Amino acid sequence: MTQPTSRTTAQWQADDTRHYLHPFTDHKQLAGVGARIITRAEGVYLYDSDGKQILDGMAGLWCVNVGYGRRELAEAAYRQMLTLPYYNSFFKSSNPPAIELATLLAQVTPPQFNRVFYTGSGSEANDTNVRLVRRYWDLKGEPSRHIIISRENAYHGSTMAGASLSGMKSMHAQGGLPIPGIVHIEQPYWFENGAGRSPEEYGLHAARQLEAAIERLGAGNVAAFIGEPVQGAGGVIIPPETYWPEIQRICDRYGILLIADEVVCGFGRLGEWFGCTAFGFRPDLMTVAKGITSGYQPLGGVMVSDKVAQVLIDRGGEFYHGYTYSGHPVACAVAVRNIRLLMDEGIVERVRTDTGPYLQRRWRELAAHPLVGEARGVGFIAALELVADKVSRRFLPDRGASGLICRDHCFANGLVMRAVQDTMIIAPPLVMAREQIDELIEKAWRCLELTARDLGMRT
Ligand SMILES: *Cc1c(COP(=O)(O)O)cnc(C)c1O
């Protein structure tokens, strides 16, 4: 094994600052403090260059579903690299892992999905969605249907189309986004927007923003609606039960395609294989990435329903789209092994019936803290709203500040919990055991105490 700690933390940080432009990072600020250097990981724990152990409440970046250090995945990659490290899927070629994975995906996804278009990431998959749905409507003889409706505060990636579909104003402000033909409606964020309405009423209200947008734009101009079953990066926004069925009704009524971005929810995060199953809707296209390989290799894809695939295949001729790494044999071999681990070890089942309910029960105990306005979650994803006042749900005056304070306390106390403004979020590896969940809750409570103290709150 390599010895990554043969250099000191300060040496790593110096070179990091000099040469490495990090994603989603204020570089000047990072240079001031130096990056945290993660050198290895095992199970649900990370280790940094000082040897400090950190409980990973975020599964890397929502992806390490089977946990770290799985030899089966390393061996799958190693064997595939020796057999066939790379070959493309252009020019009438294919490879066994890509075929095997496509077959397995058809098995584990909802029945309307029998085909996959491979990409290297979730962002590329959502770019593919834009290309696919516009191509679909062209072939159907309705080329004016080109607008894709998404939601404010959605996250669909960081490429030009991915960032455009995303509903993050900060991203749009850099680089002249969104690209034309993308419209955003209200997100189903009951805690912030639902005052005076029950969650059920608010869910219908939020979904009907889609209907209003379609009426305004003209149904003949709308190609598709895209949404994450549960918004991840936007702050673990869990829509009320009434939301998705109403979205489905509206999409059916106006004949527009429904795209589920399952990059976070897919492969067991909610205790079901896919978020659309958990919420009872039936997408025409589905974005997958992250958990498909548990992050051991970069891989994404679009699951294409028979309805859409048939039009492309029967009438489409050549679809001028694809990536060098579409169907990458090593990434696909790792994905096959990863999905088999999820199946053979009953990992999704365990989240649904055992550890998921346990995590959610314990997580709700945090709602007793004076700083917490809401503790919500489903399966292995959860959020806390940090507020100035529990009853009025008022956020603290300096929006975002308490989240950062809490996040820093978490790191210092050996826990990765992420902050989105003043919402603290977790999405742990799906293999996290009950004792480790206890450790997570204990540490989270301690960090809430430290945060409240810093904010001068009485607890
Ligand atoms: C992470 C993410 C993406 C983008 O995936 P990348 O692999 O980072 O390009 C898209 N959609 C959702 C919901 C995500 O969480």
Side-chain angles (χ1 to χ4, degrees), residues 63-92:
C63 52
V64 188
N65 288 2
V66 298
Y68 299 93
R70 291 302 304 246
R71 299 195 68 85
E72 297 90 337
L73 300 191
E75 280 159 8
Y78 178 75
R79 273 198 308 274
Q80 187 57 42
M81 281 185 190
L82 291 178
T83 312
L84 178 72
Y86 174 76
Y87 198 71
N88 71 70
S89 292
F90 296 25
F91 320 132
K92 300 181 181 169

Side-chain angles (χ1 to χ4, degrees), residues 121-123 126 155-157 228 261 263-264 289-290:
S121 69
S123 301
N126 280 326
Y155 189 75
H156 297 298
E228 303 150 79
D261 184 335
V263 172
V264 163
K290 293 191 173 127

Side-chain angles (χ1 to χ4, degrees), residues 61-62 120-126 154-159 162 166 228-233 261-265 287-290 299-300:
L61 204 49
W62 324 87
S121 69
S123 301
E124 288 175 12
N126 280 326
Y155 189 75
H156 297 298
S158 196
T159 51
S166 295
E228 303 150 79
V230 168
Q231 283 158 261
D261 184 335
E262 295 269 4
V263 172
V264 163
C265 297
T287 318
V288 292
K290 293 191 173 127
L299 179 68

Side-chain angles (χ1 to χ4, degrees), residues 40 52 81 88 97-98 109 152 154 186 207 210 266 270 280 309 311 346 354 388 448:
R40 63 188 187 89
K52 185 176 157 63
M81 281 185 190
N88 71 70
T109 54
E152 288 158 7
E186 181 176 335
L210 175 60
L270 309 185
V311 171
D354 176 15
L448 289 169

Side-chain angles (χ1 to χ4, degrees), residues 261-283:
D261 184 335
E262 295 269 4
V263 172
V264 163
C265 297
F267 304 97
R269 174 77 33 214
L270 309 185
E272 297 280 345
W273 275 83
F274 293 92
C276 57
T277 317
F279 283 95
F281 65 102
R282 195 174 176 282

